[in-house]
Amino acid sequence: MRVINFLKKSLKFIFHISNTKKIIYDIENIDTCANEIQSEKIRLWFKKILDILEIKTVINGNVKEGNYLIISNHSSWLDIIILGSIFKTTFLSKIEVSKWPIIGKITTAVDMLFINRGEKDAAAKAVAGISEFLSNNRNVTIFPEGTSSGGEKLLKFKPRLFASCQETRSPVQCVIIKYPHKNKKIHPSVPFVRGNSLFLNILKVLFQRDIIADIIITDLVNTENKDRKTISNECYEIIKEKIENNVS
């Protein structure tokens, strides 16, 4: 039965991804002023993937009105799908993601911001891009750890990108994503770190029927009169406490 379910899910997944071209076409032909329509289409695209993967989400907290910088711990490519299904947001990601066989397809249509870590002034360009989006009432999501930690621990945040909050006077929305599994800290099929095969990881996730994502949406963090390092440290402590102490 698990094999049959896996095959059904795989076919639905492939069909949905192949249909992304139509979604991209629709988005590109929306009036550029209709950001709300564009954002909702993208959010529903992500939500559909979660439904196909049969991932149950448990959300604690509410999505706030207004624009803000969204940050989260980072364990897997699933984090992008989950955050994209909850928030109307674009993402900042490493440029390699644009070449991924699945996530990469949608990035061309969602104004995703990319950072080329090998490029001169990469961080400054990323801050400028985030600030522009926030100034135009577009939420932006970043993973301040800079890479996927695999869910075992929270890596230190890189404070540079929090400068966008100073420039735009935007608050920060901290989000904590957990994938509990029996007596383990994280479901063994979820972690995706550098060096892993995205294709094989997707297959592992498709084969599972018991993945649960616990999402905690905290109160907004005020950034007024705070430097980027202070903001970064405050957000780090908020997320770290809820991960380590299993706070919901």
Side-chain angles (χ1 to χ4, degrees):
M1 289 298 292
R2 290 189 65 182
V3 173
I4 294 174
N5 183 65
F6 166 76
L7 293 174
K8 287 181 178 178
K9 286 166 64 176
S10 298
L11 289 174
K12 289 179 182 178
F13 189 70
I14 293 169
F15 178 79
H16 181 61
I17 298 303
S18 64
N19 200 40
T20 297
K21 291 183 179 180
K22 180 180 184 303
I23 298 172
I24 291 175
Y25 178 83
D26 289 344
I27 291 173
E28 289 177 343
N29 283 275
I30 292 174
D31 189 293
T32 54
C33 294
N35 284 335
E36 189 70 18
I37 298 174
Q38 177 181 354
S39 297
E40 182 61 11
K41 278 180 172 284
I42 296 165
R43 189 188 70 79
L44 292 175
W45 185 89
F46 282 119
K47 178 65 169 61
K48 180 65 176 177
I49 292 181
L50 281 186
D51 293 341
I52 292 170
L53 295 176
E54 296 182 353
I55 294 177
K56 179 183 177 182
T57 57
V58 180
I59 302 175
N60 296 285
N62 301 310
V63 176
K64 285 81 171 177
E65 295 294 329
N67 61 304
Y68 37 78
L69 180 70
I70 302 167
I71 69 165
S72 172
N73 59 309
H74 195 21
S75 305
S76 168
W77 57 274
L78 282 174
D79 303 332
I80 298 173
I81 307 299
I82 288 169
L83 291 168
S85 72
I86 297 172
F87 297 95
K88 295 176 182 178
T89 180
T90 190
F91 293 83
L92 174 75
S93 185
K94 58 186 180 181
I95 198 166
E96 290 86 353
V97 172
S98 65
K99 300 178 177 63
W100 285 5
I102 292 168
I103 303 299
K105 281 194 172 185
I106 198 68
T107 63
T108 59
V110 301
D111 297 326
M112 184 176 278
L113 296 166
F114 292 106
I115 182 169
N116 186 349
R117 291 169 183 161
E119 186 180 23
K120 184 179 179 180
D121 300 327
K125 291 178 181 178
V127 169
I130 296 170
S131 297
E132 182 179 357
F133 272 65
L134 292 174
S135 297
N136 287 290
N137 298 316
R138 294 283 300 278
N139 292 342
V140 180
T141 297
I142 67 171
F143 298 105
E145 292 172 274
T147 188
S148 172
S149 65
E152 290 299 323
K153 59 182 180 179
L154 185 67
L155 305 177
K156 277 293 184 181
F157 288 177
K158 301 181 184 303
R160 182 67 180 88
L161 299 180
F162 287 93
S164 58
C165 300
Q166 294 174 285
E167 295 181 5
T168 59
R169 297 182 179 179
S170 302
V172 179
Q173 174 64 80
C174 296
V175 182
I176 298 88
I177 305 176
K178 304 178 185 180
Y179 303 92
H181 181 68
K182 298 179 180 178
N183 61 340
K184 297 183 179 180
K185 191 170 184 178
I186 186 170
H187 194 293
S189 296
V190 169
F192 177 74
V193 296
R194 184 179 299 177
N196 288 169
S197 164
L198 177 62
F199 177 72
L200 291 178
N201 193 262
I202 290 171
L203 290 182
K204 286 169 64 177
V205 170
L206 281 167
F207 197 73
Q208 302 301 318
R209 302 188 68 176
D210 61 346
I211 297 177
I212 298 173
D214 284 341
I215 302 104
I216 304 169
I217 303 174
T218 70
D219 294 333
L220 292 175
V221 176
N222 180 27
T223 62
E224 190 174 354
N225 298 322
K226 298 175 184 176
D227 60 40
R228 67 193 189 196
K229 188 172 183 180
T230 299
I231 299 168
S232 174
N233 289 340
E234 183 175 346
C235 293
Y236 177 83
E237 291 302 327
I238 289 172
I239 293 180
K240 183 172 182 286
E241 178 189 10
K242 293 188 180 299
I243 290 177
E244 292 184 351
N245 298 331
N246 293 317
V247 178
S248 61

